Amino acid sequence: MRAREALALALLAVLALATSAGLGDPQNAGPRLAYVRLQGRLEYGYALIFLKVNFSEPVEKLTLNLSGFDEKVLVAIARVDGEQVLGRVSEGLLEFRPSHKFRVADLTLVIDALSFNSSAVTVALPVPLAPLEAVSRVAGDLVLGSSFTATASLGNFSQGVAKYNTTVAPGARDVLRAWASLSSIEMVKVRFLNRTVLLSPGRAEFIDSLQLVSEGGLPVTTLRLTLPSACKLEAIEASLFTYPSRYVSQYSAGNATLLLITLLPALEGVGQVGAVTLRYSVPFNGSLDVYMGLGPLVRNYSVRVCIEGAASITPSPLTSERVGPLQCYELPGAGPLLQAGMYPPASIVPSFAPPSGALTPHLLIAWTVTAAVLGGMGYLALRQS
């Protein structure tokens, strides 16, 4: 038996006994067993980890050990019986505490685990395998890609995949360390999202301009995005043209629509930038998910709400300005964007003015796209300086 396996089994036995004893406090004695399903991948410049945790008896909270990586956790979401719970990191522990006891939780973690230099990308990824509340049986895998060379203490890495299938102590965690040559990977990141929301009676049109940058040496030819099924896709645009329908595929997936966009042109190498603008609409009844994510993690963004007339908005706007007959309100950021429903919707009480016709939606869209491209390029220039 290898030394690390013997050490892991010894630690498991000691911690299992400690858990069974409740560390001297019966209230700390958690469930004796949990089943954990693990999946993960590298995507859009970050690491995504998905955990499905099934406890043998109800618990009040779920805690993961991420010591040493506190500041690397960008998004931590749990879905418990239809309730969405944001995790809180403190002193190396990531805690989820729903409003009621539960047995099953689905977790989504986004971790800033990738580092780039002029020739290589390195990965230092904490992999939580068991909650502190239970000894756990864990199974699953993390896909890095065949270009990566990696080491893991508790998993087996082969052909670009780290596989786990073992029983581990409460709070067990692995650290996956890997590297690959930049010339051998395809990687794109959304550096900036400029979002403008045009309000009209009963309808809101979103204009999302995404600034993209390639971080790998292989060409980036496609972009995958997700919209809630309630959204109606109006168009996908570049700076000078609208994408023909044959370059955009749509797939229904439960309550979401998956978009697969063939980029025109492709991003051909490290540092190349591009822009894609989505126009889509949703019914408007006074409440809007203005912080809705599109799938890729977005840390830098702006959100504006524009109306012919005026509006009272919660959260309170940072600024307000006139654009022709429109009043535009810039909203504060809410945190990293990943998917729909992460943050409370904005409450909007509109007062619509009679349409003036002085500035049509198409003219505003053209102005918005131009401003987004210029603003995004300026942002990238500042990041590179």
Side-chain angles (χ1 to χ4, degrees):
M1 178 181 294
R2 292 178 297 178
R4 71 178 187 181
E5 292 177 341
L7 179 61
L9 288 174
L11 180 62
L12 173 60
V14 171
L15 291 182
L17 288 173
T19 300
S20 178
L23 298 179
D25 182 354
Q27 293 184 353
N28 288 333
R32 301 299 183 263
L33 184 63
Y35 295 93
V36 178
R37 178 63 182 171
L38 165 70
Q39 292 181 308
R41 62 179 181 268
L42 303 183
E43 187 174 77
Y44 296 110
Y46 302 98
L48 278 70
I49 295 179
F50 306 96
L51 298 170
K52 187 179 185 67
V53 183
N54 194 326
F55 290 103
S56 59
E57 60 187 73
V59 296
E60 294 182 346
K61 63 177 181 176
L62 188 158
T63 312
L64 299 177
N65 172 19
L66 292 173
S67 60
F69 294 88
D70 306 42
E71 297 181 357
K72 297 297 185 178
V73 180
L74 303 178
V75 173
I77 305 171
R79 295 193 181 275
V80 178
D81 300 328
E83 177 186 359
Q84 178 173 278
V85 182
L86 296 181
R88 295 185 177 183
V89 178
S90 178
E91 298 182 350
L93 299 180
L94 173 59
E95 182 180 284
F96 299 91
R97 190 180 287 270
S99 61
H100 59 282
K101 288 188 175 184
F102 63 97
R103 292 183 59 176
V104 180
D106 292 287
L107 311 183
T108 299
L109 310 181
V110 181
I111 300 175
D112 188 9
L114 281 69
S115 300
F116 296 85
N117 59 33
S118 60
S119 60
V121 54
T122 59
V123 179
L125 176 60
V127 185
L129 301 176
L132 284 175
E133 291 77 11
V135 173
S136 296
R137 179 68 185 176
V138 59
D141 51 55
L142 286 165
V143 180
L144 300 187
S146 58
S147 299
F148 283 89
T149 300
T151 60
S153 298
L154 300 177
N156 295 314
F157 187 82
S158 177
Q159 298 181 337
V161 180
K163 296 181 179 295
Y164 295 88
N165 187 10
T166 186
T167 299
V168 292
R173 182 205 71 181
D174 201 2
V175 177
L176 185 61
R177 300 188 184 276
W179 72 274
S181 170
L182 277 187
S183 62
S184 66
I185 66 168
E186 174 189 339
M187 185 74 68
V188 65
K189 180 180 286 188
V190 178
R191 281 286 181 88
F192 196 84
L193 166 64
N194 185 307
R195 170 170 290 168
T196 297
V197 183
L198 304 180
L199 297 181
S200 58
R203 183 175 183 268
E205 181 170 3
F206 284 66
I207 306 168
D208 287 355
S209 183
L210 295 89
Q211 302 302 316
L212 310 175
V213 61
S214 174
E215 296 198 328
L218 297 181
V220 177
T221 59
T222 58
L223 181 68
R224 298 184 305 276
L225 303 174
T226 304
L227 290 175
S229 57
C231 295
K232 178 185 177 183
L233 182 65
E234 306 288 350
I236 296 178
E237 301 167 340
S239 57
L240 297 176
F241 62 90
T242 298
Y243 272 75
S245 59
R246 65 180 179 275
Y247 292 100
V248 181
S249 300
Q250 300 186 48
Y251 305 93
S252 178
N255 294 324
T257 299
L258 305 181
L259 304 178
L260 184 63
I261 304 166
T262 300
L263 293 177
L264 299 173
L267 303 182
E268 298 281 354
V270 179
Q272 184 171 355
V273 298
V276 172
T277 296
L278 274 72
R279 289 173 44 211
Y280 54 95
S281 60
V282 296
F284 172 60
N285 59 5
S287 179
L288 274 181
D289 187 0
V290 297
Y291 301 112
M292 173 177 56
L294 300 173
L297 182 79
V298 178
R299 302 174 70 177
N300 302 289
Y301 59 92
S302 63
V303 177
R304 297 194 313 161
V305 176
C306 297
I307 182 175
E308 283 200 69
S312 174
I313 304 177
T314 302
S316 298
L318 298 174
T319 62
S320 175
E321 65 174 341
R322 296 290 296 183
V323 180
L326 294 175
Q327 189 70 36
C328 292
Y329 304 88
E330 182 179 355
L331 302 187
L337 308 184
L338 180 66
Q339 59 193 30
M342 280 183 60
Y343 305 107
S347 175
I348 305 174
V349 180
S351 178
F352 293 104
S356 65
L359 183 63
T360 67
H362 290 90
L363 287 176
L364 180 62
I365 289 168
W367 179 87
T368 300
V369 171
T370 301
V373 171
L374 293 176
M377 295 304 179
Y379 169 78
L380 291 177
L382 288 174
R383 285 291 300 268
Q384 294 169 356
S385 64

